Amino acid sequence: MMKSLLSDQSLRLIETAIAKYPEGRKQSAVMAALTIAQDEHGYLSTDVLNEVARILEMSPMAVYEVASFYSMYRLKPAGRYTLTLCTNLPCALQGAGSAAQYLKSKLNIDFGETTKDGMFTLQQGECMGACGDGPIVLVNHKKMCAKMTREAVDAFIDDLYGSAGKDKR
Amino acid sequence: MNTPTMLNFGAGAILLSGLTGDNWRLADYRARGGYKALEKILENPNHWTPDQIIAEVKLSSLRGRGGAGFPTGMKWSFMPRHAPEKYLVCNADESEPGTFKDRDLLRYNPHLVLEGMIIAAYAMGCARGYIYIHGEIWECYERMEEVLKEAREAGLIGKNILGSPFSFEVFNHHGFGAYICGEETAMLESLEGKKGQPRYKPPFPANVGLYGKPTTINNVETLANVPYIILNGGQRFLELGQPNAGGTKIFSISGDVKRPGNYELPMGTPFTVLLNLAGGVREGHMLKAVIPGGSSSPVVPASTMLDTKLDYDSIAKAGSMMGSGAVIVIDNSRCMVKSLLRLSEFYHEESCGQCTPCREGTGWMVKILHRLEHGEGREGDLETLDQVAHNIMGRTICALGDAAAMPVRSFLKHFRDEFDFHIKNRRCQVQDYV
Amino acid sequence: MSEATVDKSQWLNLVINGQPVQVPPGSTVMDAAIKLKMMIPHFCYHKKLSLAASCRMCLVQVEKIPKPVPACVTTVAEGMRVWTRSETAIAAQRAVISFLMINHPLDCPVCDQAGECYLQENTFGYGDCGSKFVEVKRVVAGKNLGALVSAAEMSRCIQCTRCIRFADEIGGKQELGMIHRGDRSEVVPFVGESYTSEISGNVIDLCPVGALTSKPARYTARAWELSSHLSLSPHDAHGTHIAVHTKQNRVIRVVAKSHEAVNECWIADRDRFSYEALNSDQRLTQPWMKKDGVLVESSWEEALPFAAAALSHIIEEHGADSVGALISPHASLEEMGAWVRWLRGLNCDNLDTRLRTRDFSADASNDSLNPSKTHSPSSIDWLGMPIADIAEQRAILWVGSFLRTDHPLLAIRARHATKKGAAMMSVNAQRADWRMPVAHDWVVPPSKIAHALAQIIVAAQGLKKETPFSLPEELGEIVPSEVARAIAQQLIDANGRAAVLVGSFGLHHENAEALKTLSRVLAALTGTTFGVLPDAANRLGAAWLRAHPITQKGLNARSVLESPRRAYVLFNAEPCDHDQGAVFSRAMKKAQLVIMCSPFKPDASMTRLPDVVLPITPFTEMSGTLINMEGRVQSYQAAVTPLGEARPGWRVIAALSQLMNCPFPESDLHQLRQTFVPTADALNARLAPRVDLAHIKLDVPRDIIHPNENTRAIERVGSVPLYQSDAIVRRAASLQKTTWAMPPRVGMNRHTLNELGLTVNARVRVMDAVLLDALRTEPLSVEIDETLPLRTVRVDTAHPLTWRLSGVSGKVHLEVCDD
């Protein structure tokens, strides 16, 4: 048996996800499995898609379809932290436009780009279901940061640099 | 969880009442009288038959809180009685711009939702349920994993709940970035591990749902109302609201107000009351327009909205929809062309691509609006735009096509002068917000 | 619901556009419209695929329903009133067309689909004039789907998903998919892969627009320049209906022709793309003769008299027994009939079509009066049921069948059966990728297949205690394994709706007759249908004509080479068409005279050049008749006139016959057909009947059922690669560029690899364990293949690198090469 591309811990988590569904419905765990795999590898390479297909007894094509359909799966490498700013109408009315400008100038990148040090990828996102707290930034598709004023942006970027153990540029 | 939204509830609140932001655990919920409704049912199963529960819910006039407003009791009664394998799905894939009530219910009062779900499963005879949680509110997913663990350990879910013959298993399933999965059949596809592409109906999920089995899909807030109905009776719930729509409603207000957030108010509360609770429009500005029921509901001009009560019939009379109770407030500093462009971009981004009119039409509308916004509008664009929206409506498998078309048609109807101004002067009529 | 199964009194009445129609319950509005021959425009709907209801082109108005509904998924209710051309319907149709057109590149002038494009037709028929779209159109990158299907212009795609559904539902594997979402959706194969199905070309027919087109036929003609000629595919025994499209007397392409009972609306890729060989420089356009050791162009006037005289001379000197004659089993009844008549007229009985057969033991007891035989030799083995019935079986045991490569379209029917819950089961020497669920895939070395069948027989006997059949002694000691019992149980549980079918590997196996007998017994015992999957387009025709030795002294396809003759007449037969390529080749070397009739120049396996090569026409250039595996007699007509000087084979044989003074009475095609083409009744009388348990005897040699266990010998398992199946296919350029045509490798499982001390990618020659050097492959690379049993190596037959090694089964020796 070849060594899996996924860590033992990831494989265990996927097993837990599979157990949520009835017998013979492994495919239902594909979103969980892709999320777990993405958490481990940062993005979903072709090999990872194949590995998920193997584990869940799905056709690789079906896994690829799912991975490309849902917007938070990444099929290409990105920065260490993917920052997704909601720019939808409620967030925009509540200041997402200026948050966007500030983030772009602070990180010196545009939407869709990655900082030179590989720390941050900045992108626009759609509604995250938290409009009351807008503008919203989602870090690595999971950690939600609310009310992104300039001060809040400064604080959380510093925080991320801190937790990455790197000095601020 | 960081930065709790201000919790706002009045004397009549039944869902958010007593919440501090930290008292979400099982013990806290029990202290608030939680799981009493479930106990009441399981202790007296001869009285609380499934039919009796459904009758009570029918009496309450509880209507689906996800947007469509379908009577919940009736929906439950569509489930075939004797099918061996039935599913209950809690729709927590809230992500229509402006809607953010389910997130607060899940993080601040999760056991209430779960109790409602267990009762619903009992009433419909479902042995298994899934809570489909919007991927972006990952922290709610993690909290719900903890909540299910608590409930399982306390014997509230799993085999022989509270020692009764009733068994019900619940699991969380997370989305990962697709608004369309809030559509119930797309959600079922997604639960089955596929792309979230809505199914053609009929057959309806009550007959052919998850894994081809009878399935009911209820919104988070809908289920959260169920324990109250059992404890206090359908009649009392009905009396909280309007004759054809019982209970309270959580209104999520966002946009140009001082205190965006969730406000639980009785059905039929005047819009002005909600606006005042939210602190009114920003200093120095005037109310221009309101999108009263989530981004897909038609926009309503200020003058009309200020005279409108917040319930299904009143908002319908104002030319829009109650939807999920997501109220987006727009003040007079905002450009309606730009606002519409941003909404249309959302539907273009989120269209699943299955049906021709929605797939192609949403892109076409964005292209026209983009030109208008950037001073490249042409004579005839508005007629084309309206025609495109008209051509999408009623011709797609699911409601996303209509949802994309309705804002366009209503913005053009009520704010045509701003669009005309864009074409003639190649710029905005109002100061822009970026 | 099929029309036949529902009582007419339950049918539903509806009215479409004022026209009343009755349909069975469960029918859709689309079904009803089709019944009325009324066109409802559509793109994604296809009668053979699942319903997507996504293109929205078939929206119609139904009374009491406020919104227009898609006709393809709307089920009929009693009294329904439908309008397909009402204001509501027309508005919906126009809207959908306008949406489909906005991003369409409008490149009809350079699009191969133009003239036969649904989008064009529906736009003209149902669209609105003019466009209000002034934006930039979407551009979609082309995709690589391999050598056969062009997906270079995916901007034309309208996302109907027909190709995706076909690949999954009919092809059996989700090879294509739609990635991304919204108007960014794109049809793609999996990352880095292409579309490898053996029936991939059907997506060209299915694609309603010009997104998927034929790669070989790309830019060669416009649809309206083509004339269509109905024909049959001569590459396997399916009898597949095709339409040959020609322009200026040249075959431009082949497309599927619907025939519900035979091929539904599908054809295999070799049916579709083999035509490339017909226009290739491999074709012979005039007779050639060998002069000074090389072949040079000649003429009919020179070559034909020479051939006749040379053959006559040998017969005069050495007798007709000194002549051997082999003809392709793909040849038409007309060709075979003329050929048999000619050779019998010359008093020559050394004639055969069974080129890939190894086991001729049944011929030895060729006595129809012998009541002990389980099977009358004059009866013709066939599928045992109509092709369409395969889809209705509840269980099928495939014995020695590589179904997908041998019979791609029969695999589709089997796939249909699995969708209805049928159990597919297999006993074979390799676990194949069936692309359908297989309930039991029993893999044993080639020499153990007989034992496996015997186990299933014993198991069946145990399960059906009331049967009068007494097992012979040889089987008494056999203890059936669990899988044997499971297979027997499935066959019995199917209550007669099951079959035991012997495939090409079984038929070409060194113990083929034993495997057939065991399968017959098993079928009789379990009350199921016995059948074989004939190995060539006209195998049944050959059997009908008795195109094999009929006397004791006649030499069969094997012995006629093992005892070399002075002269050979080859009709579309080359060494790589034969089970014993090297023996074939050697026999030719020793012969004084070799006369070859072929549409093609001799290939590399013909190491001894023929003395005369007479150019005959392939199927597109003549008329002919074939009998398919279900006993269906079908004729085809010429689509183009013969290329160059090529002539129909029967005409060439008639001329030779004339020149050799043994003319036969049939002087034209009509007369040939009257003589050689059977009526359905006459043929049916000779098709092997269902096996009767009372008249069956299991007379299989003991050493076949109980092969020597204590051997570490290596066995070969081989079969004809998908695109080496016949002379036309192996010369078709694009088919040879597919992944199926990669050089064969020597597959073995890891244990075998270790036992042989080999490494992956080592270069080895596989050789006959006894004759070693004489019968061996070229050097081939070793690969790990865990689908094989221990001590079994997979080596394809019939390939330029492997044809010298005889037999699909049997013991082999591996020698490491130093190259």
Side-chain angles (χ1 to χ4, degrees), chain B residues 9 102 150:
Chain B
F9 48 88
D102 297 344
E150 282 187 330

Side-chain angles (χ1 to χ4, degrees), chain B residues 117-364:
Chain B
M117 201 175 170
I118 299 167
I119 296 168
Y122 181 84
M124 289 181 278
C126 304
R128 202 181 259 263
Y130 290 96
I131 306 173
Y132 190 108
I133 302 171
H134 191 49
E136 285 84 341
I137 50 172
W138 188 263
E139 285 141 317
C140 287
Y141 173 77
E142 287 178 338
R143 175 154 298 178
M144 286 311 290
E145 286 284 277
E146 181 65 22
V147 164
L148 293 188
K149 193 165 157 249
E150 282 187 330
R152 201 164 282 129
E153 281 165 4
L156 291 161
I157 53 174
K159 280 217 162 65
N160 302 108
I161 293 174
L162 298 176
S164 75
F166 174 55
S167 299
F168 177 56
E169 263 303 347
V170 195
F171 301 97
N172 296 308
H173 180 109
H174 66 77
F176 220 60
Y179 162 69
I180 190 61
C181 291
E183 198 277 348
E184 58 182 23
T185 56
M187 176 169 289
L188 298 179
E189 289 284 296
S190 185
L191 269 166
E192 291 181 8
K194 303 175 198 158
K195 294 187 286 184
Q197 293 194 320
R199 299 174 182 170
Y200 183 76
K201 295 158 286 268
F204 290 94
N207 293 311
V208 182
L210 183 60
Y211 308 128
K213 309 295 180 197
T215 303
T216 288
I217 301 101
N218 284 136
N219 172 260
V220 170
E221 186 186 351
T222 312
L223 291 168
N225 277 308
V226 172
Y228 181 92
I229 293 168
I230 299 301
L231 283 175
N232 303 286
Q235 185 61 36
R236 178 114 169 251
F237 184 85
L238 175 61
E239 286 161 7
L240 289 176
Q242 298 288 301
N244 66 351
T248 61
K249 177 78 192 80
I250 299 178
F251 293 98
S252 309
I253 186 164
S254 65
D256 293 328
V257 290
K258 284 187 196 137
R259 289 192 298 273
N262 284 317
Y263 297 83
E264 184 184 353
L265 301 169
M267 285 277 189
T269 303
F271 167 70
T272 46
V273 172
L274 175 66
L275 187 61
N276 287 335
L277 282 171
V281 293
R282 295 180 306 164
E283 221 58 65
H285 294 291
M286 304 249 293
L287 183 68
K288 180 178 189 172
V290 175
I291 302 173
S295 65
S296 60
S297 62
V299 67
V300 179
S303 55
T304 311
M305 199 62 209
L306 288 169
D307 291 336
T308 300
K309 286 194 294 179
L310 298 172
D311 62 67
Y312 293 98
D313 293 349
S314 306
I315 298 177
K317 229 176 100 192
S320 188
M321 300 184 318
M322 166 93 165
S324 55
V327 180
I328 306 172
V329 174
I330 301 173
D331 73 27
N332 63 346
S333 71
R334 307 303 190 177
C335 169
M336 295 307 267
V337 177
K338 182 157 190 172
S339 299
L340 178 59
L341 170 61
R342 192 59 196 86
L343 288 180
S344 292
E345 281 170 344
F346 170 74
Y347 290 104
H348 173 236
E349 174 63 30
E350 299 295 339
S351 167
C352 81
Q354 196 177 197
C355 306
T356 305
C358 173
R359 179 183 69 237
E360 303 296 341
T362 52
W364 192 353

Side-chain angles (χ1 to χ4, degrees), chain A residues 16 19-23 25-36 38-39 58 62 65-66 68-74 85-98 101 124-134 136 138 140-147, chain B residues 2-5 85 87 94-100 103 107 128 130 132 134-139 141 145 171-178 180-181 190-197 211 253-256 260-261 282 291 328-330 334 339 342-343 345-346 349-350 352 433-434:
Chain A
T16 313
K20 290 182 174 183
Y21 306 97
E23 189 75 24
R25 305 290 184 183
K26 277 186 179 183
Q27 181 170 348
S28 283
V30 67
M31 295 182 69
L34 289 173
T35 306
I36 292 160
Q38 177 164 293
D39 284 349
M58 289 171 69
E65 281 191 334
V66 168
S68 70
F69 184 88
Y70 297 92
S71 66
M72 298 203 295
Y73 296 117
R74 298 202 67 100
L85 174 71
C86 175
T87 56
N88 219 302
L89 184 60
C91 277
L93 295 173
Q94 289 164 214
S98 31
Q101 275 185 351
Q124 271 190 101
E126 291 302 343
C127 185
M128 295 162 184
C131 321
D133 287 347
I136 302 285
L138 204 56
N140 279 349
H141 314 293
K142 286 193 168 178
K143 186 177 160 47
M144 188 176 278
C145 301
K147 304 215 159 138
Chain B
N2 73 83
T3 332
T5 311
E85 193 182 340
Y87 292 94
E94 171 183 69
S95 55
E96 171 146 331
T99 314
F100 51 91
R103 172 175 174 241
R107 58 182 181 164
R128 202 181 259 263
Y130 290 96
Y132 190 108
H134 191 49
E136 285 84 341
I137 50 172
W138 188 263
E139 285 141 317
Y141 173 77
E145 286 284 277
F171 301 97
N172 296 308
H173 180 109
H174 66 77
F176 220 60
I180 190 61
C181 291
S190 185
L191 269 166
E192 291 181 8
K194 303 175 198 158
K195 294 187 286 184
Q197 293 194 320
Y211 308 128
I253 186 164
S254 65
D256 293 328
R282 295 180 306 164
I291 302 173
I328 306 172
V329 174
I330 301 173
R334 307 303 190 177
S339 299
R342 192 59 196 86
L343 288 180
E345 281 170 344
F346 170 74
E349 174 63 30
E350 299 295 339
C352 81
Y433 51 74
V434 175

Side-chain angles (χ1 to χ4, degrees), chain C residues 61-277:
Chain C
Q61 186 183 353
V62 175
E63 191 178 38
K64 294 188 193 116
I65 301 181
K67 294 177 183 180
V69 296
C72 66
V73 282
T74 302
T75 47
V76 171
E78 176 61 30
M80 196 179 244
R81 283 156 61 84
V82 179
W83 295 273
T84 71
R85 296 299 288 159
S86 65
E87 212 176 296
T88 302
I90 288 173
Q93 288 158 355
R94 287 187 172 168
V96 171
I97 287 290
S98 78
F99 285 130
L100 286 174
M101 294 305 287
I102 59 169
N103 279 309
H104 191 78
L106 298 176
D107 57 348
C108 309
V110 295
C111 176
D112 275 354
Q113 192 81 1
E116 53 182 9
C117 172
Y118 278 42
L119 189 55
Q120 274 184 338
E121 284 168 22
N122 286 340
T123 300
F124 282 104
Y126 303 92
D128 209 352
C129 354
S131 171
K132 298 194 175 80
F133 188 78
V134 295
E135 323 299 330
V136 176
K137 284 178 188 268
R138 174 178 67 225
V139 175
V140 183
K143 307 290 181 294
N144 178 13
L145 295 185
L148 305 177
V149 179
S150 167
E153 267 85 29
M154 291 307 279
S155 294
R156 296 173 186 158
C157 174
I158 58 167
Q159 282 100 342
C160 74
T161 70
R162 278 181 169 197
C163 54
I164 294 171
R165 284 175 284 149
F166 171 82
D168 185 23
E169 295 164 15
I170 309 295
K173 185 177 174 188
Q174 204 179 343
E175 283 195 274
L176 300 175
M178 184 83 81
I179 56 158
H180 306 313
R181 66 188 188 203
D183 60 7
R184 285 87 61 213
S185 303
E186 291 182 43
V187 173
V188 294
F190 189 67
V191 195
E193 290 179 12
S194 74
Y195 183 28
T196 63
S197 170
E198 67 280 8
I199 52 174
S200 69
N202 290 297
V203 299
I204 299 165
D205 292 348
L206 284 171
C207 182
V209 296
L212 303 179
T213 55
S214 165
K215 202 175 252 187
R218 196 161 150 80
Y219 298 146
T220 52
R222 311 312 318 256
W224 53 87
E225 299 172 324
L226 299 172
S227 39
S228 179
H229 308 265
L230 302 188
S231 188
L232 298 171
S233 168
H235 306 304
D236 59 38
H238 207 90
T240 307
H241 290 248
I242 55 176
V244 178
H245 288 179
T246 64
K247 173 186 165 185
Q248 290 164 352
N249 204 37
R250 185 183 164 94
V251 178
I252 297 297
R253 66 177 183 184
V254 168
V255 301
K257 172 80 183 97
S258 287
H259 191 299
E260 191 55 35
V262 177
N263 52 294
E264 303 174 81
C265 54
W266 315 123
I267 65 175
D269 285 354
R270 63 183 176 207
D271 305 327
R272 185 182 304 269
F273 297 107
S274 70
Y275 75 88
E276 278 192 288

